[in-house]
Amino acid sequence: MYIEAAVVAIAKDEGAYIHEWIHHYLYFGFSRIIIGVNRTTDLTPSIISKISVKYPQVEFMNMDWIDQGCASQKNSQFQALSYACLSNKIKYEFKEITHILYVDVDEFWFPKDFKTSIKSYLKTLQKFDLLSFNWLWQNGDDNLFDPPFNNKKVTKDHHMKSMVCVSSLGKIIEFRCHASKMDSQNSKLIHLGPNGEPIEYGAHDQAFKYIPKLNSEAFILHRVCRSETEYVALLTRSRPGVEFPFKNNRFGFSKKSNDTLSIDTGELNLYWSELQQFVEYCEISSLIAESKKIIESKSKFLLDMRSDLIAGHLIALLNILNGTEYQKQVILKLEESGASILKDQYAKNYFDAGIKFEQTMEMQQSLRYMRLANLARPNGPVIKENLERLEKEALKKKSVTHNLIILITLGIKKLLKRIMNFVAVY
């Protein structure tokens, strides 16, 4: 069976990571790597260009032209239109390609044994229109700029990412992020899972019915968090068609997971060694280092963010900053902003933030936001009632703490006195 696979992705400001992603798909035998670059201000194009000199099967297209047909200059259908364009490029320019995988630059297809090539894997399956793999969410890394698969803690997920047979591209009704919608009315649609089994859909047709087991033949590792600093920096990539100026499809930083990947140490060391050789061969070390500095600087976005934007999008911002030290900087920024953010239009946001932190038992944060709500809407009865309640609880806690300190101090004094008496006797 003749098989050649391509991978397609859209990249925005991926200079610190694009080399790892490209190397990964070359390592597992993908014959073509096609990247649609969009709204990019960093060194992503320069890095891909240098890689392409050594690996001509890697190329990119600037996709910013798609935005030119949209009044807002951010086309909400950007990804779907990019996938359609790049798929047709592959179909008509690279006729050797039989299958196309669609992923993001933080998503890594890998086989269970971490050595089977994509070609060998596909040869084990029957003919299909659509093939889907479960996501494995990789939560927070311990180290800044950890290499792929150094963090093996994952959370299994219902969602899928998918590959399409090129001969079935004509059946696609709509290109979608997780699994393209395909015409199943005029012909039977063959949609397989990673073990070659017919798909059983869950809540919708882009999700599996069941959470997978880690013995599936292949997965997609989704590096959704990386390190805390990187996580916060990557939030600055806003989503097309969304008013909120940051990525609103993130739910906070966490290192919690429910499973651990088992990857042969020898295979992993070989993978990392070849990654380093790849970087040296492509002569991109300095570009990567510069790109990493850009990421670190972006993590400080709160320092430069307008106070009215923080106040206007407060709850969404606090939610995406859950689990980070940066979340605590939000209240500091608001408190330092003075009268400019003490407006009635922001009062409910401050109030909701106060309730949010009370629910997580972060009482000092809760009280500070409720005070802002009261300053923004001094005649609000509900705000005033909750502020008084929180202040009473804070005073009570302070009194209890003070009394506890006194008791501990007295206890220590008595203990010291006994020790001194004991020493004097003996």
Side-chain angles (χ1 to χ4, degrees), residues 102-125:
Y102 302 88
V103 292
D104 295 333
V105 178
D106 60 359
E107 295 171 336
F108 295 71
W109 177 90
F110 70 100
K112 180 173 64 177
D113 63 3
F114 210 74
K115 61 183 178 182
T116 298
S117 71
I118 186 65
K119 295 181 190 178
S120 297
Y121 166 75
L122 290 174
K123 285 178 180 178
T124 67
L125 304 177

Side-chain angles (χ1 to χ4, degrees), residues 33-37 44-50 52 58-63 86 89:
I33 297 176
I34 311 295
I35 304 159
V37 174
T44 300
S46 299
I47 292 172
I48 302 174
S49 293
K50 294 207 74 171
S52 297
V58 178
E59 60 180 276
F60 75 95
M61 288 179 62
N62 187 318
M63 307 302 291
L86 298 176
K89 173 183 175 64

Side-chain angles (χ1 to χ4, degrees), residues 229-242:
T229 296
E230 293 168 90
Y231 170 79
V232 172
L234 296 174
L235 293 176
T236 59
R237 301 174 183 172
S238 58
R239 300 176 71 204
V242 178

Side-chain angles (χ1 to χ4, degrees), residues 126-132 160 162-165 167-173 176 179-192 197-199 201 205:
Q126 63 169 300
K127 182 176 172 58
F128 60 84
D129 298 297
L130 195 61
L131 171 66
S132 295
M160 58 180 66
S162 302
M163 170 178 275
V164 173
C165 183
S167 62
S168 300
L169 283 173
K171 295 182 181 180
I172 294 179
I173 298 171
R176 299 186 300 190
S180 291
K181 187 176 182 63
M182 304 188 79
D183 180 14
S184 59
Q185 300 297 318
N186 297 319
S187 62
K188 185 179 179 181
L189 177 66
I190 301 175
H191 188 179
L192 301 181
E197 77 283 12
I199 286 285
Y201 297 116
D205 63 356

